[in-house]
Amino acid sequence: MVFIWNNDWATGHPLIDEQHKQLFAAINAFLDTGTQGASTDRMLETLNFLNDYTIKHFFDEEQLQKKFQYPDYPRHREIHEALKANVRALMSIFIRHGTSLQLTSRVKTEVGDWLVAHIKSEDQRVAAHIRSKELVH
Ligand SMILES: [Fe+2]
């Protein structure tokens, strides 16, 4: 398990935090297949799940941003789009060439470490905004 939940990563929003935990679990599941010598099918299954769950999570988080009129929504959405494109690219590298140390290390840094940084620089601000709006209503 590469990414172990750390309270510094909490945004304080229950749904966002729960989905972030699932995302880290999905990243770990893929990275673990590498160390466990899992079959190509199993690796693809975990990568597919990571891709699907990334799409679902970003969609749900963007719905919340719209609902609470988060002012930085358009920029935040573009950041999500870029990450989704990168996960798709990583998946197609896997489909064409199979796994490699370079691929797993890209998933670790470009998806896992990326998510840690994104939570701290962006999602914690989203959650603070939602809290401030909830207090008003
Ligand atoms: Fe986000």
Side-chain angles (χ1 to χ4, degrees):
M1 207 193 288
V2 179
F3 292 95
I4 297 168
W5 181 258
N6 176 326
N7 272 335
D8 285 356
W9 305 346
T11 66
H13 189 284
L15 177 77
I16 295 176
D17 287 344
E18 187 46 45
Q19 292 192 345
H20 285 161
K21 286 178 185 169
Q22 296 294 328
L23 260 182
F24 283 118
I27 296 163
N28 284 334
F30 173 72
L31 294 176
D32 287 348
T33 58
T35 49
Q36 290 161 355
S39 67
T40 304
D41 281 357
R42 173 71 193 133
M43 292 188 90
L44 184 58
E45 200 177 282
T46 59
L47 206 48
N48 245 321
F49 180 80
L50 174 60
N51 183 52
D52 291 349
Y53 199 81
T54 305
I55 293 167
K56 178 201 165 33
H57 165 60
F58 286 170
F59 178 82
D60 289 349
E61 204 191 86
E62 287 165 15
Q63 292 300 109
L64 276 171
Q65 294 184 28
K66 282 194 275 185
K67 180 176 171 200
F68 289 94
Q69 294 154 334
Y70 182 56
D72 219 9
Y73 164 71
R75 194 183 60 87
H76 198 129
R77 186 174 180 279
E78 276 178 28
I79 297 172
H80 284 174
E81 288 300 318
L83 194 274
K84 283 196 284 188
N86 199 25
V87 172
R88 269 199 308 277
L90 293 169
M91 200 157 73
S92 82
I93 291 172
F94 180 83
I95 289 166
R96 275 182 288 130
H97 306 290
T99 191
S100 63
L101 274 181
Q102 195 202 14
L103 180 72
T104 50
S105 105
R106 283 187 64 185
V107 171
K108 185 196 168 290
T109 55
E110 296 175 21
V111 186
D113 295 340
W114 178 95
L115 181 61
V116 172
H118 178 74
I119 289 172
K120 291 181 174 179
S121 62
E122 302 292 338
D123 293 343
Q124 289 179 343
R125 283 172 46 216
V126 171
H129 173 80
I130 293 172
R131 271 195 301 280
S132 74
K133 288 273 181 175
E134 279 173 337
L135 285 175
V136 174
H137 296 107

